[in-house]
Amino acid sequence: MPKISIIVAAYNVEEYLQQCLNSLSNQTFSDFEAIIVNDASTDATAEILRRSAEKDPRIIPVTHPHNQGLHLTRKTGVEHASGEYAFFLDGDDDLAPETCAQLAEEINQHPVDILHFGISVIGENGILDDECKAFEAFNNTQTKNCTGSDIVRNIYAEANGQQVDWRVTQRLFKTSLLKKAFNNMTSKRLERAEDGYECLVISALAHTYRSYKECRGYQYHYGRGVTGTNQVTASKYAAFCQQFSQCFNAAQLFANQNPSLDLQDCVNGYRWKATELLANDLNIRIADEDKAEAIQAMFETFGPAITAREIWRFTRDNAWAAITSKDNNDSLNRANMWKRLADAIDVPATGNIENNRYLTVRHRAEELLADLDTVRNRQKYANQRIRIFVTTHKNVSTFNSAIMQPVQVGLHNGSYRFPWAFHDDEGENISNRNPRYCELTTQYWAWKNIDADYYGFCHYRRYFDFSETVHEENAFGEIMDDYISVKTAKEYGLDDDNIARVVRQYDVITTPFGDLDEIINKYGSPRALWEAAPLLHDDDLKRCYQILCNMYPDYKKDAQDFFNGNKACFCNMFIMKKEIFFDYCEWMFPILEEFDKNTDYSTYSKEALRTPGHLSERLLNIYLMHHKRIGSNWKFKELQCVHFTNPEPAEQLKPLDITDKPIVPVVFAADDNYVPQLTTTVYSAMKNADPNYFYDVTVLQRNIAWDKQERLRGFFKQFPNMNLRFTNVDRELAGYDLSTNNAHISVETYYRFLIQKLLPFYDKVLYLDSDIIINGDIAKLYNIDLQDKLLGAVRDIDFLGNLNVKHGKRMNYAKTVLKMKNPYDYFQAGVLVLNTKAMREHYTIKQWLTYASNDAFIYNDQDVLNAHCEGNVLYLPWEWNVVHDCGGRVGNLFVQAPNDIYDAYMKSRNDPQIVHYAGFQKPWTDPDCDFASMYWKYARETPFYERLLKRVVKANESEIPAGVLRPKHERAVGEDNPIRKIVDPLMPIGSRRRDAVKAIGRAVRGRH
């Protein structure tokens, strides 16, 4: 038995085969056999092989009677191999002389099932050196030694990073492993992606793996055969798609036949990565005019979601290239081309993992394209004669203004270049000094590159208050606010007309000259304030003062008055007429350059490095004080400074790509006070959820404390088929006057209007109130066919009963205020199946919230939905929203509803899939209310059970106004009765057992 079998696949390689065979005969290690399988070549391959075999008996020819493809050629070679170990060599590649010797020595010292060696890449047919080096570097990256399932997972599973290549020609295998693996492989012809399939099967069956990338004797000729980058036709690409698909199917079959190996995520990873490689041919090797035809071929083979994901990937990558490059025209054109092709693919919303992966890529691509679209804003900026530059180093919200113009600073090679901003490294600039000069790099850039009548500067967090209202300031002399929004723009006069009106009245505008005896910890003087800063060096201030006095002696008095005085303006915010701004820059920058030149920053902290920026704040004060003293007759104005604590854009929810199960998107709305109820509702849903579905649970909120969010995430980790996320909707509601006309309805009720915008990647979403208990599987509710209606809901038995009340007020309201044609179609909005795709097409968020601001509505959001969705509603089975008997309404009010409606409601109470505690009576305020035992069954298993019990106690301690609830009976067993010590542990408040006993007691006493 030879030590090593070398298996060579040869098909029509007459040009390269002799070189390959010579490299085998020239090996310094002799104990090997070379199995050369001629796959029915039609050229001189057979003759070359015959002559070489005559010269070297270790070369063993095997000939296929007809062509069978690379996979089956390798399979034949494995069948003939007799060595202890074996590896594959392609017929157009070759080996360095010492390769086998190195492999034999390593495998003797460290025997393993798979020894993964390195590669030397030789470019052929025009392949660039850089491309060869990149390919070689990837394949020679050292990989971790591993055992068991990690061998296959490190190659294929996305969770493991897919850091190991799947080339079977770079591995020395134990021959017994190869024979077992190929016996488990398909006997069908496979091509193009066969390496990935073969490596998956072999690696799944292996027990030990070792990396030996130091051995690089395999000489891979990059560019020969099918590995080149030459152009191919759309029809040829269609054949590629079929070949890849056949390999994927074979891998899936192996996984299905070997469930104990748990390979599904590896098969998925193989399919996804190989599909990207296939799609790269579409990008590189298909002419642009043929791309649509090639995409159609891919669509027909793999379906819409997989195909669209790859097209959107190219859109995303080109958009990114356009954003991160100064010269971006070509990338921008390519991004737009790919988007046009992507838009032509209709992808149904299936909720499976392929759809989710597609949505994730598309979502990111559209984000980048939206950024690129903002370039148009920059075209408006050049026309402005008043230009206020907003310095930013991060992605932030901006006001709708052509005067306030963002400038991105702190750029370096590869930086994400915000398309909506100018960049301080363009034109004449000192961008590289930004770590020291801070916002001054913006000032310098504007000075050297921009023409305007007025130049202004502020920060992404801090803006001027151009309003005429004096706003309250904090101890640092700043107005504090939350978000950059339409509301705050109005509050602080940040619209272009108002800004221009204010600016044109003055020569210089600054922030207020605050009294340092009163603000910023009352240090008293600018000098004392500097000396109190722990990270700034006192000597730097002295040296800057000396440089100023040497360069501009006439400013010495102003500097002394400033440092010894008690007034200063801060934040380096100002607006100046052009001639003043240019004079200031010509004066200030030489001072800082001199300071810079004579300062050793090597030991400075990050904050100390910003000393030139801090000094410039002081220099601005001195410059302005000087011109006031010498009578320059400038008109000055001081404007308050607004500090926005949350300037970042609203959080963008993203599609999930973490599951291969169908997704059920579910949305709840809650505030911090309602977390215990929210927890109970979600818990009841998941206890009854189908494990074959994945539930994407989103909570819309504004003030839920972070620790509670973390507690909920931890609690719900027990459900592996669930994802929980929270999103703050505060800024989405900014500017709208939203309130409710019912004490038992909170403002959170309006959040459902935001769903169509916040979850743009879902075309259908469940909305559920947080005062419900879910006894059924909500996947069944979600899967109800809406038949193209805007939403699905259950009719409102309460409202319909009110319609039939004799006075007719509710009927009149429904017809005159809601303008409903058939008020008996009014639905309850606590449980909704939303066709968010259709809702986006019919209404904007602004429209919904404007409608909701109508204070004539009784039930606010519910009335809005009924008024605007009438005739476009699918009515759900009653059991999906069974409202409980609040205050005896079943017998007093519901009974007045139309007979069929009442009967259907009463029937649904026997088997409620969802119980809705609508109204003032809730289980956590009245544990004896209708369906309370059902609520407490779930509540007592949540981490907030004690909080709910506390609310029960609190609610029943307070005085309740007469007539609100039915009179309470005396307790059958008093609070101080010793029996309570036995009863309460056995039958807790709200338990089914306690309710049953109480019901029996009432029945005995004749009370119902």
Side-chain angles (χ1 to χ4, degrees):
M1 175 194 296
K3 185 69 174 179
I4 296 175
S5 294
I6 305 170
I7 302 168
V8 181
Y11 175 67
N12 286 352
V13 285
E14 62 178 2
E15 186 176 352
Y16 317 115
L17 184 59
Q18 192 63 64
Q19 181 180 351
C20 173
L21 298 177
N22 289 344
S23 75
L24 301 183
S25 296
N26 292 333
Q27 288 297 300
T28 59
F29 180 82
S30 61
D31 189 15
F32 71 87
E33 65 177 6
I35 311 297
I36 318 298
V37 184
N38 177 11
D39 192 23
S41 298
T42 58
D43 62 358
T45 293
E47 178 59 24
I48 296 170
L49 179 54
R50 184 189 63 78
R51 290 198 305 264
S52 295
E54 289 176 352
K55 295 179 182 179
D56 189 340
R58 294 173 301 180
I59 296 176
I60 304 169
V62 178
T63 302
H64 277 168
H66 59 273
N67 183 264
Q68 298 179 38
L70 182 55
H71 167 61
L72 295 181
T73 300
R74 286 174 177 166
K75 192 175 178 72
T76 298
V78 171
E79 291 170 356
H80 284 78
S82 62
E84 183 182 359
Y85 290 90
F87 68 89
F88 297 107
L89 175 65
D90 285 343
D92 52 3
D93 294 328
D94 48 73
L95 301 177
E98 65 282 355
T99 305
C100 288
Q102 292 174 347
L103 294 176
E105 181 180 358
E106 181 69 16
I107 206 70
N108 285 335
Q109 292 180 5
H110 305 285
V112 287
D113 289 344
I114 302 175
L115 183 67
H116 193 172
F117 52 90
I119 190 174
S120 295
V121 178
I122 301 167
E124 306 281 0
N125 298 323
I127 297 293
L128 300 176
D129 286 346
D130 287 347
E131 194 172 349
C132 291
K133 289 176 183 177
F135 188 82
E136 185 175 280
F138 172 75
N139 283 280
N140 288 333
T141 299
Q142 197 64 243
T143 53
K144 293 180 180 178
N145 300 336
C146 56
T147 60
S149 64
D150 283 344
I151 299 173
V152 67
R153 293 187 61 79
N154 288 347
I155 303 170
Y156 295 98
E158 283 193 341
N160 289 44
Q162 296 181 320
Q163 294 299 308
V164 184
D165 68 85
W166 60 48
R167 290 171 52 82
V168 294
T169 52
Q170 274 181 253
R171 287 164 166 86
L172 180 68
F173 303 100
K174 188 173 285 187
T175 305
S176 58
L177 169 64
L178 271 189
K179 289 182 179 292
K180 179 181 178 181
F182 273 84
N183 282 337
N184 276 274
M185 292 185 205
T186 183
S187 293
K188 295 180 180 179
R189 183 187 186 103
L190 294 180
E191 295 175 282
R192 289 200 64 79
E194 72 285 332
D195 262 34
Y197 163 63
E198 292 165 354
C199 189
L200 187 146
V201 176
I202 300 167
S203 301
L205 298 175
H207 298 292
T208 52
Y209 164 96
R210 182 175 178 82
S211 177
Y212 181 43
K213 296 299 182 73
E214 298 86 351
C215 175
R216 299 180 182 180
Y218 190 111
Q219 297 181 151
Y220 177 67
H221 294 268
Y222 190 23
R224 289 180 179 174
V226 297
T227 60
T229 57
N230 53 299
Q231 295 250 306
V232 297
T233 64
S235 60
K236 184 69 172 177
Y237 186 74
F240 290 174
C241 292
Q242 287 296 319
Q243 291 164 349
F244 271 71
S245 179
Q246 289 161 5
C247 293
F248 300 161
N249 293 340
Q252 187 64 62
L253 178 63
F254 176 74
N256 294 344
Q257 292 173 339
N258 296 272
S260 63
L261 296 176
D262 192 20
L263 290 173
Q264 191 55 58
D265 57 345
C266 293
V267 172
N268 288 345
Y270 163 51
R271 186 175 68 251
W272 295 332
K273 190 171 182 179
T275 301
E276 287 189 358
L277 298 174
L278 171 65
N280 289 344
D281 278 350
L282 172 65
N283 181 26
I284 298 169
R285 303 180 67 184
I286 304 289
D288 287 351
E289 59 270 21
D290 295 332
K291 279 183 168 46
E293 184 182 349
I295 290 170
Q296 181 61 30
M298 191 175 187
F299 178 98
E300 291 171 359
T301 303
F302 299 109
I306 292 173
T307 305
R309 181 187 187 276
E310 297 307 315
I311 310 310
W312 280 107
R313 176 167 67 89
F314 297 140
T315 309
R316 178 199 67 189
D317 293 348
N318 280 279
W320 176 264
I323 285 171
T324 56
S325 170
K326 289 185 180 181
D327 184 15
N328 63 7
N329 285 337
D330 182 62
S331 296
L332 182 59
N333 291 335
R334 301 294 294 178
N336 289 328
M337 179 199 75
W338 284 114
K339 182 181 184 300
R340 288 192 298 272
L341 292 168
D343 285 338
I345 304 173
D346 182 27
V347 183
T350 58
N352 61 27
I353 192 168
E354 301 298 352
N355 190 267
N356 300 333
R357 288 172 60 82
Y358 144 73
L359 287 171
T360 300
V361 174
R362 175 172 183 166
H363 185 71
R364 181 55 178 154
E366 289 180 331
E367 284 182 335
L368 297 174
L369 290 171
D371 269 359
L372 285 169
D373 281 345
T374 60
V375 171
R376 287 193 291 268
N377 292 338
R378 289 178 52 177
Q379 297 168 356
K380 303 175 188 175
Y381 297 158
N383 299 325
Q384 303 301 314
R385 299 311 300 167
I386 299 173
R387 304 179 74 168
I388 300 175
F389 299 102
V390 183
T391 298
T392 183
H393 66 278
K394 61 194 294 186
N395 187 24
V396 291
S397 296
T398 57
F399 289 103
N400 183 20
S401 167
I403 288 178
M404 293 186 290
Q405 304 175 8
V407 180
Q408 184 182 5
V409 300
L411 291 155
H412 52 78
N413 289 337
S415 290
Y416 188 100
R417 303 175 69 83
F418 304 136
W420 41 265
F422 291 110
H423 307 105
D424 75 341
D425 63 345
E426 296 170 337
E428 187 176 346
N429 67 83
I430 54 170
S431 177
N432 62 324
R433 301 184 197 175
N434 180 259
R436 302 191 307 281
Y437 277 49
C438 309
E439 65 277 354
L440 294 183
T441 59
T442 298
Q443 293 183 24
Y444 188 94
W445 171 84
W447 174 35
K448 295 297 184 179
N449 299 284
I450 297 298
D451 178 50
D453 296 335
Y454 287 86
Y455 296 74
F457 301 91
C458 56
H459 310 256
Y460 69 93
R461 287 187 184 276
R462 295 179 176 88
Y463 289 80
F464 285 110
D465 176 5
F466 287 95
S467 74
E468 296 180 356
T469 303
V470 177
H471 292 91
E472 182 181 354
E473 296 178 344
N474 65 7
F476 291 84
E478 295 180 321
I479 305 165
M480 301 303 295
D481 212 317
D482 294 326
Y483 303 111
I484 292 172
S485 64
V486 173
K487 178 182 177 182
T488 51
K490 184 177 180 180
E491 174 76 13
Y492 303 112
L494 294 168
D495 63 273
D496 284 350
D497 288 343
N498 185 60
I499 293 172
R501 179 186 63 79
V502 174
V503 170
R504 291 192 184 281
Q505 298 178 57
Y506 303 98
D507 299 309
V508 177
I509 296 175
T510 65
T511 55
F513 281 76
D515 185 347
L516 296 180
D517 289 326
E518 301 295 332
I519 64 172
I520 315 181
N521 298 323
K522 302 180 180 181
Y523 285 109
S525 71
R527 184 193 304 276
L529 184 60
W530 182 284
E531 291 171 350
L535 299 177
L536 298 181
H537 301 179
D538 294 348
D539 182 62
D540 287 341
L541 186 65
K542 296 176 184 176
R543 289 193 299 111
C544 182
Y545 168 75
Q546 292 167 353
I547 291 170
L548 168 67
C549 294
N550 289 335
M551 295 180 68
Y552 304 102
D554 52 334
Y555 279 79
K556 182 175 183 178
K557 173 177 171 48
D558 307 292
Q560 291 174 340
D561 289 345
F562 170 69
F563 286 123
N564 295 324
N566 66 341
K567 294 290 182 70
C569 65
F570 291 97
C571 301
N572 248 341
M573 291 170 56
F574 60 84
I575 304 170
M576 296 177 179
K577 276 188 172 180
K578 179 177 182 177
E579 57 273 19
I580 299 174
F581 173 62
F582 275 48
D583 181 72
Y584 171 62
C585 290
E586 290 165 359
W587 174 84
M588 182 264 296
F589 279 108
I591 296 173
L592 293 182
E593 287 171 6
E594 184 65 20
F595 175 87
D596 229 13
K597 186 171 61 177
N598 293 287
T599 302
D600 178 7
Y601 293 104
S602 61
T603 61
Y604 276 40
S605 68
K606 187 175 290 292
E607 183 61 30
L609 277 176
R610 302 172 62 177
T611 293
H614 288 290
L615 291 171
S616 70
E617 282 188 295
R618 281 70 183 174
L619 292 173
L620 173 63
N621 280 265
I622 294 168
Y623 177 81
L624 296 177
M625 287 179 65
H626 175 78
H627 283 277
K628 288 179 180 178
R629 179 175 65 83
I630 66 174
S632 295
N633 295 320
W634 296 342
K635 293 184 67 176
F636 286 87
K637 176 67 175 178
E638 296 176 19
L639 295 178
Q640 287 183 285
C641 170
V642 190
H643 183 149
F644 293 99
T645 56
N646 298 286
E648 298 82 6
E651 176 189 5
Q652 298 292 315
L653 295 173
K654 292 178 170 55
L656 298 181
D657 62 353
I658 58 176
T659 179
D660 57 355
K661 298 177 180 178
I663 290 179
V664 177
V666 193
V667 175
F668 296 90
D671 63 6
D672 190 74
N673 185 58
Y674 226 68
V675 166
Q677 293 90 327
L678 168 72
T679 308
T680 303
T681 297
V682 178
Y683 181 65
S684 70
M686 295 311 302
K687 286 289 282 187
N688 295 291
D690 185 342
N692 295 311
Y693 286 85
F694 192 90
Y695 299 79
D696 182 13
V697 179
T698 301
V699 178
L700 308 183
Q701 54 85 34
R702 289 199 287 186
N703 66 348
I704 295 180
W706 181 256
D707 64 316
K708 290 180 182 176
Q709 293 184 31
E710 286 293 281
R711 196 172 179 186
L712 280 169
R713 290 187 188 97
F715 175 65
F716 285 109
K717 280 183 179 178
Q718 63 185 290
F719 300 106
N721 61 330
M722 172 191 175
N723 179 71
L724 176 64
R725 47 186 168 181
F726 298 82
T727 188
N728 191 315
V729 299
D730 204 18
R731 71 182 69 204
E732 298 290 346
L733 299 175
Y736 295 99
D737 182 20
L738 300 176
S739 60
T740 64
N741 296 322
N742 189 315
H744 308 291
I745 301 175
S746 67
V747 72
E748 281 71 30
T749 194
Y750 296 110
Y751 295 0
R752 71 198 74 193
F753 292 129
L754 306 176
I755 294 171
Q756 64 188 62
K757 178 181 178 182
L758 297 176
L759 298 170
F761 37 85
Y762 288 132
D763 291 342
K764 188 180 183 183
V765 175
L766 280 184
Y767 170 81
L768 302 173
D769 276 351
S770 297
D771 58 351
I772 65 175
I773 283 295
I774 300 162
N775 284 320
D777 174 26
I778 54 177
K780 295 179 180 178
L781 176 61
Y782 177 78
N783 286 330
I784 292 175
D785 183 3
L786 292 180
Q787 301 171 21
D788 295 326
K789 303 292 187 182
L790 280 178
L791 57 85
V794 175
R795 283 185 171 87
D796 189 345
I797 183 76
D798 186 296
F799 194 92
L800 271 56
N802 267 297
L803 290 175
N804 283 351
V805 171
K806 195 170 183 178
H807 56 65
K809 290 182 180 178
R810 189 60 58 85
M811 179 65 76
N812 183 62
Y813 170 79
K815 289 183 175 180
T816 59
V817 178
L818 301 184
K819 302 188 185 310
M820 293 187 70
K821 296 177 182 178
N822 181 9
Y824 292 103
D825 279 342
Y826 189 96
F827 57 84
Q828 217 282 342
V831 175
L832 298 171
V833 186
L834 300 173
N835 181 348
T836 47
K837 180 180 180 182
M839 295 182 79
R840 283 189 285 269
E841 293 169 353
H842 284 76
Y843 296 103
T844 65
I845 298 299
K846 183 177 181 181
Q847 284 176 300
W848 284 125
L849 294 178
T850 301
Y851 298 151
S853 300
N854 185 345
D855 59 9
F857 289 154
I858 298 175
Y859 297 112
N860 302 88
D861 66 302
Q862 185 166 280
D863 284 352
V864 169
L865 289 168
N866 275 279
H868 292 279
C869 296
E870 187 182 15
N872 215 345
V873 177
L874 178 80
Y875 292 94
L876 304 173
W878 283 89
E879 58 266 24
W880 284 111
N881 191 357
V882 180
V883 294
H884 78 318
D885 185 9
C886 179
R889 291 189 180 188
V890 171
N892 297 325
L893 179 62
F894 295 3
V895 71
Q896 298 188 54
N899 181 66
D900 292 346
I901 297 291
Y902 179 73
D903 286 348
Y905 165 76
M906 293 302 293
K907 182 180 179 181
S908 71
R909 289 176 56 86
N910 296 325
D911 185 25
Q913 299 300 291
I914 292 179
V915 173
H916 191 171
Y917 302 94
F920 60 85
Q921 249 183 331
K922 309 284 190 183
W924 54 90
T925 59
D926 181 3
D928 293 327
C929 76
D930 190 27
F931 289 120
S933 61
M934 191 178 293
Y935 188 87
W936 291 104
K937 167 189 170 184
Y938 295 104
R940 65 172 53 92
E941 296 181 13
T942 70
F944 297 101
Y945 175 54
E946 290 79 7
R947 291 180 183 241
L948 287 169
L949 289 180
K950 185 177 179 181
R951 294 183 187 191
V952 171
V953 174
K954 184 176 181 182
N956 286 278
E957 283 178 346
S958 60
E959 292 185 4
I960 301 175
V964 173
L965 295 176
R966 291 174 292 172
K968 296 282 186 181
H969 59 82
E970 292 184 6
R971 291 192 178 274
V973 181
E975 295 287 347
D976 299 326
N977 195 308
I979 297 176
R980 291 295 295 270
K981 296 181 180 179
I982 301 173
V983 172
D984 286 353
L986 296 175
M987 294 175 287
I989 291 175
S991 68
R992 187 183 297 273
R993 185 179 300 168
R994 192 183 189 98
D995 283 357
V997 172
K998 287 164 66 177
I1000 293 170
R1002 289 169 184 160
V1004 170
R1005 295 168 57 191
R1007 294 173 53 240
H1008 301 283

